């Protein structure tokens, strides 16, 4: 994790409830120079918070065991109706645009950050012995240029897709 995610501790204000949202176990990916800073930052923010929320049961367990505090599970939200209501015509247009028809597609949809593991996915994909394979990487992010240099000709990058259209890419 980069320390710019943890600039300065947030001051505790009188008569204001402070809810800390732990979205990941960032210290597991920190380099040694920043690990102690990030760990202390998270520990202090959790200790002074009135409530802690998180997106997974594994993080609830971590908070309880490591920081001795209860957390509330709030999952990431999604509109399920978007994934059941889709246009077959729009999906076919996407398949044509990226020349995906008849291919064995492995997909990734998300932000292309240094923590996303796309470099590993590309490395493994390049070693797969599958005919007519395609790695379809949907989204944008800070690592696109670096990742594109690792890509073979059967790896396709889209650019960032609008929230109104992203559900179509799950149907490819």
């Amino acid at each position: 994790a980069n320390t710019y995610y943890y600039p300065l501790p947030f001051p505790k204000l009188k008569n204001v409830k402070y809810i800390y949202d732990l979205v990941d176990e960032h210290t597991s990916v920190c380099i040694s120079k920043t690990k102690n800073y990030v760990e202390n930052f998270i520990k202090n923010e959790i200790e002074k918070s009135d409530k802690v929320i998180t997106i997974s049961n594994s993080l609830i367990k971590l908070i309880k065991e490591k920081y001795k505090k209860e957390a509330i599970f709030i999952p990431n939200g999604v509109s399920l109706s978007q994934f059941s209501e889709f246009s077959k015509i729009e999906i076919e247009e996407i398949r044509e645009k990226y020349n995906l028809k008849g291919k064995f597609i492995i997909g990734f949809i998300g932000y292309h950050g240094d923590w996303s593991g796309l470099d590993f996915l590309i490395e493994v994909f390049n070693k797969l012995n599958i005919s007519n394979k395609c790695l379809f990487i949907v989204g944008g992010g800070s690592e696109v240029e670096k990742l594109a240099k690792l890509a073979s000709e059967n790896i396709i990058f889209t650019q960032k897709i609008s929230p109104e259209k992203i559900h179509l890419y799950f149907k490819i």
Side-chain angles (χ1 to χ4, degrees):
N2 296 316
T3 54
Y4 65 80
Y5 293 116
Y6 305 95
L8 296 170
F10 190 80
K12 178 79 171 160
L13 304 172
K14 289 183 181 181
N15 301 320
V16 175
K17 296 284 184 188
Y18 177 44
I19 299 172
Y20 184 72
D21 182 9
L22 184 67
V23 296
D24 205 346
E25 176 26 356
H26 295 286
T27 58
S28 65
V29 295
C30 284
I31 58 174
S32 60
K33 287 194 270 186
T34 61
K35 187 172 185 165
N36 286 340
Y37 177 79
V38 172
E39 184 134 328
N40 286 330
F41 177 90
I42 292 170
K43 178 179 176 272
N44 291 333
E45 296 304 298
I46 288 175
E47 284 176 356
K48 72 181 174 192
S49 68
D50 296 296
K51 297 280 183 197
V52 179
I53 61 174
T54 190
I55 60 168
S56 75
N57 289 317
S58 62
L59 286 173
I60 287 176
K61 183 179 176 186
L62 175 102
I63 292 164
K64 189 172 190 167
E65 291 174 0
K66 190 172 185 175
Y67 303 106
K68 311 296 184 231
K69 195 152 188 172
E70 296 294 321
I72 300 167
F73 173 66
I74 301 178
N76 286 326
V78 66
S79 173
L80 293 177
S81 65
Q82 278 190 311
F83 293 90
S84 59
E85 300 168 8
F86 60 93
S87 164
K88 290 182 181 181
I89 294 170
E90 286 180 292
I91 291 170
E92 285 307 312
E93 287 172 354
I94 293 168
R95 286 184 179 160
E96 284 180 29
K97 177 180 179 178
Y98 294 104
N99 194 25
L100 298 173
K101 287 187 175 198
K103 294 189 177 177
F104 179 83
I105 302 167
I106 297 173
F108 173 90
I109 299 176
Y111 183 78
H112 311 348
D114 59 349
W115 63 86
S116 64
L118 280 171
D119 52 345
F120 178 71
L121 177 61
I122 290 169
E123 179 185 333
V124 171
F125 178 82
N126 286 332
K127 293 177 183 178
L128 288 177
N129 189 16
I130 299 173
S131 61
N132 218 14
K133 66 182 178 179
C134 174
L135 178 57
F136 190 51
I137 301 175
V138 178
S142 60
E143 300 292 303
V144 173
E145 288 181 27
K146 178 182 136 191
L147 295 166
K149 291 176 184 173
L150 303 173
S152 58
E153 79 267 355
N154 50 358
I155 297 176
I156 299 169
F157 291 87
T158 70
Q159 296 184 355
K160 185 178 177 183
I161 305 299
S162 73
E164 298 81 24
K165 296 285 185 185
I166 195 69
H167 66 283
L168 297 170
Y169 288 76
F170 282 91
K171 297 288 187 178
I172 300 296

